[in-house]
Amino acid sequence: MTVKKERLGLIGYGAFGRLTARHLSAWFEVAAYDPAVSEGDAHAVLTDLATAAACPVVVLAVPVEALEDTLSAIRPHLAPDALVIDVGSVKVKPALAMDAALPEGVRIVGAHPLFGPQSGKDGIVGLRIAVCPVREAKDARRVAAFCRHALKLKVFQVTPEDHDREAAVVQGLTHLIARVLLNMEPLPTRMTTASFERLMQAVDMVRHDSPAVFRAIERDNPFAAEVRDRFFALADQARHDVDEL
């Protein structure tokens, strides 16, 4: 007996949207909408915005800077008790935007897979995801349980504020250092050390991230500026210490 899958609307079908569909299609019939994409694949059927937004579960895989416009566009089409999940790199700003824009009764959860198309290309089992409650804690618990048991992810249930505070260091510094090293290329590839190679592996994991991801991490995280200021102050101190040798 074949059990009919629940429909899931996926708004945004770029690189991360495709990764999302690949791992959710075993449990959901994925209907994806992306005006920049002309055809689907084995994991999702492309459809119009209204159809995708009317699904019982709606995942927003759009840049943080496009979220408010996306919320306005999907609002008229959402089911009264739809579950809406965003998967952006920051959580405070999207949580506030979704709570303000979406109708009462719509369930809202913030999620941030702590991996991307590059780091998840060989599978996502054992990788990390943050799940943040926005309206009802029970909805976040259910999403967390699905991620843990179905997707085999390591789940952290945190508030949007706690997420962004830690991500300002974890992601903010990684992308900042990577941006500097990428601008220094070409870098040596012959006489390298193990530590240098690991550093370059970290750079390669974010090399192809879109500019929108960098902007979200560095601009839309309310704690990122403080972390950058401390990093640059310590870098200046280190340069001063070297000059004094």
Side-chain angles (χ1 to χ4, degrees):
M1 177 178 174
T2 301
V3 177
K4 187 176 181 180
K5 298 177 184 177
E6 187 173 36
R7 286 175 59 79
L8 180 146
L10 179 58
I11 312 297
Y13 207 54
F16 192 81
R18 289 176 184 272
L19 179 69
T20 301
R22 175 155 55 109
H23 292 286
L24 292 182
S25 59
W27 288 272
F28 297 93
E29 180 184 336
V30 180
Y33 169 77
D34 192 321
V37 177
S38 59
E39 58 184 45
D41 53 30
H43 305 296
V45 174
L46 284 188
T47 187
D48 57 88
L49 176 69
T51 300
C55 292
V57 181
V58 179
V59 175
L60 306 178
V62 300
V64 174
E65 61 194 21
L67 183 63
E68 291 191 10
D69 287 344
T70 301
L71 294 172
S72 296
I74 67 172
R75 178 186 169 97
H77 310 293
L78 291 172
D81 62 345
L83 172 62
V84 177
I85 306 168
D86 91 289
V87 293
S89 299
V90 297
K91 296 271 68 83
V92 170
K93 184 176 180 179
L96 292 172
M98 290 189 292
D99 191 36
L102 298 184
E104 184 178 350
V106 169
R107 296 169 293 147
I108 305 172
V109 175
H112 179 202
L114 299 166
F115 54 87
Q118 184 66 22
S119 53
K121 65 181 180 179
D122 297 322
I124 64 172
V125 171
L127 298 183
R128 296 173 172 86
I129 186 170
V131 176
C132 305
V134 177
R135 285 184 173 168
E136 294 290 338
K138 64 182 180 181
D139 295 319
R141 289 196 296 268
R142 289 170 180 165
V143 171
F146 174 83
C147 292
R148 184 180 296 113
H149 298 298
L151 302 180
K152 308 300 182 185
L153 295 170
K154 186 173 183 179
V155 180
F156 298 91
Q157 294 189 64
V158 294
T159 66
E161 291 79 8
D162 286 344
H163 169 277
D164 281 5
R165 196 179 298 277
E166 293 192 35
V169 177
V170 174
Q171 284 195 301
L173 288 184
T174 300
H175 282 73
L176 189 64
I177 293 168
R179 173 65 65 96
V180 173
L181 290 174
L182 286 170
N183 288 335
M184 292 179 68
E185 289 185 335
L187 295 168
T189 59
R190 186 177 60 169
M191 291 187 295
T192 60
T193 63
S195 58
F196 181 81
E197 289 174 358
R198 289 181 181 179
L199 183 61
M200 293 313 299
Q201 287 172 2
V203 171
D204 286 339
M205 285 187 178
V206 301
R207 177 184 297 273
H208 301 295
D209 284 355
S210 70
V213 171
F214 184 77
R215 288 194 295 271
I217 290 169
E218 300 294 349
R219 182 190 65 190
D220 295 326
N221 186 321
F223 306 105
E226 178 184 352
V227 171
R228 283 197 308 274
D229 289 344
R230 182 163 183 257
F231 175 79
F232 287 131
L234 291 171
D236 285 340
Q237 181 61 51
R239 179 168 57 184
H240 173 75
D241 292 345
V242 170
D243 290 341
E244 294 296 311
L245 292 178

